[in-house]
Amino acid sequence: MDTIVALATPVGRSGIGVIRLSGADSLKIARTLVRDHTFNPEARVATLRQVYDETETDAIDQSLITYFRAPHSFTGEDVVEISCHGSPILLRLVIDECLRLGARMADAGEFSLRSLANGRMDLTEAEAIRDLIDAQTTAAARQAARQLRGEFAHELQPIKDDLLGVIVVLESALEFVEDDLPQIQLESIASNLEKLGSAVAKIAGTFQAGNLIREGIRVAIVGRPNVGKSSLFNALLGSDRAIVTEIPGTTRDQLHEKFTISNIPISLIDTAGLRETTDTVEKIGVERSRRTMADVDLVIAMVDVSVPATEEDLQILESVGPTERIVVLNKIDIAPQRVSAFRDALKERLSTPTPFVDLSARTGAGLDVLKKSIVEPFSPVDVNSSGFLVSDARHYDLLVRSRDEISSSIELLQKKASEEIVLVGLHNALRYLGEITGETTTEDMLSHIFSTFCIGK
Ligand code: GDP
């Protein structure tokens, strides 16, 4: 394997920047960098050295160098980590020097891919590292850390073992038993398969919550101009991000921000006010708002209770369509006495049952209730107290396929189909589970997965 190099820390000015080399020539390259061909650092111990490039006689940096001898390294190969001062120019110089000395720039995820190839970790663990780096909330980071500790692979292992056990029984029946398998044995195989199918389904069932932690909920706030959309946007974010004015039509384009409710990431969009308009810029904004509504998971449709509801308010509420929606009655601080009549009038006109929340975006009254109502329809379990959750769509898809193969094998078994036919489905089921952990994943699939990693990981 050739030797690869990459910056392992983010690009930009920082206290330190770490360059990582992996491959047989790592130590040789490090020796040239420190201009000492007898440099033989103790493994896993950081050593302070002057680092040189080809041209200068003076050192370009003083760096901490750590050597990890194969196979006791992240990739399973010889690895050298060079912790330089975090100057982008200097880091570029050192990387260029490594390239000149025979290393090659690493592809995205190539360190992790080598680790997988060398049996240092399974695919779910490699993916967990990516997810940990990409985590947007502490709950997502915790889930990734559990996966990194091997929890997912650990849960799958007994299922794979038992499935293999069933396959072996059927294979040997095929080989050695002249007649059909006795009914009692068929029943026991079917009941084992039922158990395995439910175990796979149970793990797959955690995906809704797992995916919620990872992908979060996209929420748009819509309503007529001046009902208080930007004020709510700011109140939810806890900062003055959107401009709040009394002049209708101020938010002409959309604002996007992220925040969390109970550890669930929320992407919030403040749309331009929805109204018929002749202003071209505003028109584009309004058109975009309509498209956004079709694109999000939840729409907060806002009305202003301090003025009578208009036909436009109703049109907006109805135009939300099949998306989850919450109607927010805003400005209750100035018109508390009108709220219930306002709500009843709207309820009467709406064709589908819709939750209502009373709010004052100005005082914050009702904000906590609104936050709860935002996550409630999407959160089947408390994502913060549940066990391991499947969060990767790839894993979910493979689990579902495996469960389906097991179910159809049970049906075939009950219809007394030949063992050969039943076995095809069970082999598929086992292969799908193996693809999750990487044992049976094809090269193409692996390069696709690792292309989603960052360079230097
Ligand atoms: P948008 O056009 O829908 O984004 O509305 P803004 O958030 O810009 O608010 C329009 C006006 O209503 C501003 O003067 C806000 O201060 C005011 N406003 C917004 N929410 C409330 C509220 O809950 N109570 C009161 N009294 N005024 C509000």
Side-chain angles (χ1 to χ4, degrees):
M1 278 269 189
D2 46 3
T3 299
I4 50 174
V5 64
L7 185 64
T9 44
V11 179
R13 293 165 61 246
S14 56
I16 54 170
V18 180
I19 291 164
R20 180 146 64 171
L21 284 156
S22 179
D25 287 341
S26 299
L27 189 56
K28 197 172 109 197
I29 293 172
R31 284 179 178 145
T32 311
L33 284 175
V34 302
R35 290 199 182 160
D36 175 359
H37 291 285
T38 62
F39 180 50
N40 210 4
E42 192 180 332
R44 300 175 180 227
V45 175
T47 316
L48 189 65
R49 284 292 175 129
Q50 305 288 336
V51 169
Y52 299 82
D53 75 345
E54 178 198 21
T55 52
E56 301 291 325
T57 44
D58 293 331
I60 51 172
D61 193 25
Q62 181 168 275
S63 311
L64 268 181
I65 297 180
T66 317
Y67 172 51
F68 301 85
R69 184 175 293 117
H72 305 291
S73 70
F74 176 69
T75 56
E77 303 172 334
D78 261 8
V79 167
V80 170
E81 283 183 5
I82 311 162
S83 303
C84 302
H85 290 101
S87 142
I89 297 281
L90 166 72
L91 292 165
R92 185 70 246 175
L93 263 180
V94 177
I95 289 176
D96 282 348
E97 190 59 10
C98 292
L99 296 176
R100 197 186 64 80
L101 294 169
R104 153 174 86 68
M105 209 63 203
D107 293 330
E110 199 171 0
F111 289 91
S112 302
L113 185 58
R114 288 187 175 197
S115 176
L116 181 78
N118 291 324
R120 300 292 291 166
M121 56 176 154
D122 72 32
L123 188 51
T124 58
E125 289 162 356
E127 288 173 310
I129 295 178
R130 175 200 58 195
D131 294 348
L132 189 57
I133 293 170
D134 291 343
Q136 296 182 49
T137 64
T138 47
R142 277 204 191 97
Q143 283 298 331
R146 296 178 81 144
Q147 192 169 316
L148 181 56
R149 289 199 297 270
E151 265 190 48
F152 192 15
H154 200 74
E155 276 198 40
L156 286 179
Q157 197 54 50
I159 300 176
K160 288 195 285 188
D161 291 346
D162 290 355
L163 192 52
L164 190 61
V166 174
I167 290 175
V168 168
V169 171
L170 285 172
E171 298 255 1
S172 49
L174 197 61
E175 198 116 320
F176 304 113
V177 182
E178 296 275 308
D179 306 320
D180 289 343
L181 276 174
Q183 183 63 22
I184 184 136
Q185 198 169 358
L186 280 180
E187 275 168 20
S188 127
I189 291 175
S191 111
N192 274 344
L193 287 176
E194 293 277 3
K195 276 190 215 134
L196 290 173
S198 324
V200 174
K202 189 167 167 227
I203 303 178
T206 65
F207 178 66
Q208 194 186 349
N211 189 51
L212 186 66
I213 289 183
R214 183 189 177 115
E215 301 293 337
I217 308 169
R218 286 164 306 161
V219 180
I221 310 175
V222 302
R224 271 192 307 122
N226 241 20
V227 292
K229 295 181 298 297
S230 301
S231 305
L232 173 61
F233 187 81
N234 290 339
L236 284 170
L237 290 175
S239 75
D240 283 343
R241 173 72 173 78
I243 304 165
V244 174
T245 72
E246 287 160 15
I247 311 158
T250 320
T251 310
R252 288 162 155 231
D253 204 352
Q254 303 188 337
L255 292 174
H256 285 245
E257 284 291 341
K258 292 199 165 167
F259 71 107
T260 59
I261 299 176
S262 313
N263 256 320
I264 297 169
I266 311 286
S267 286
L268 189 62
I269 305 166
D270 180 12
T271 62
L274 291 169
R275 63 168 180 177
E276 295 307 323
T277 173
T278 47
D279 180 310
T280 316
V281 177
E282 201 184 331
K283 216 170 197 168
I284 296 171
V286 168
E287 186 42 45
R288 201 171 288 167
S289 303
R290 293 194 200 277
R291 262 184 280 131
T292 301
M293 283 204 288
D295 225 26
V296 293
D297 305 306
L298 173 85
V299 173
I300 296 179
M302 187 177 243
V303 288
D304 177 350
V305 294
S306 70
V307 291
T310 65
E311 244 344 277
E312 228 179 333
D313 282 324
L314 281 158
Q315 273 172 17
I316 292 169
L317 294 188
E318 287 297 1
S319 70
V320 174
T323 318
E324 285 282 351
R325 68 178 168 190
I326 301 173
V327 175
V328 167
L329 305 174
N330 191 34
K331 308 196 188 179
I332 54 167
D333 54 311
I334 34 175
Q337 71 289 354
R338 303 173 56 141
V339 179
S340 65
F342 202 105
R343 187 187 312 117
D344 292 345
L346 281 185
K347 267 191 182 161
E348 218 162 81
R349 296 283 304 268
L350 290 177
S351 47
T352 43
T354 306
F356 278 72
V357 175
D358 302 349
L359 182 86
S360 167
R362 179 166 285 176
T363 66
L367 199 59
D368 284 342
V369 177
L370 177 61
K371 285 184 182 172
K372 256 201 206 121
S373 326
I374 292 175
V375 292
E376 224 162 47
F378 302 94
S379 198
V381 291
D382 180 0
V383 295
N384 297 300
S385 61
S386 39
F388 177 76
L389 304 173
V390 172
S391 63
D392 192 323
R394 185 184 82 84
H395 298 162
Y396 173 69
D397 177 54
L398 288 165
L399 286 167
V400 169
R401 284 200 217 186
S402 177
R403 185 209 55 198
D404 289 350
E405 290 285 359
I406 294 174
S407 304
S408 19
S409 299
I410 296 171
E411 271 172 39
L412 287 169
L413 207 61
Q414 281 159 348
K415 283 188 200 146
K416 306 236 182 312
S418 80
E419 285 95 9
E420 265 158 317
I421 295 176
V422 177
L423 275 164
V424 173
L426 293 182
H427 275 294
N428 283 341
L430 188 61
R431 183 166 45 88
Y432 291 141
L433 296 181
E435 277 186 35
I436 295 176
T437 37
E439 293 131 55
T440 52
T441 318
T442 60
E443 282 295 318
D444 279 0
M445 195 62 209
L446 281 179
S447 23
H448 173 71
I449 294 167
F450 282 92
S451 68
T452 61
F453 282 53
C454 50
I455 304 221
K457 193 63 246 168

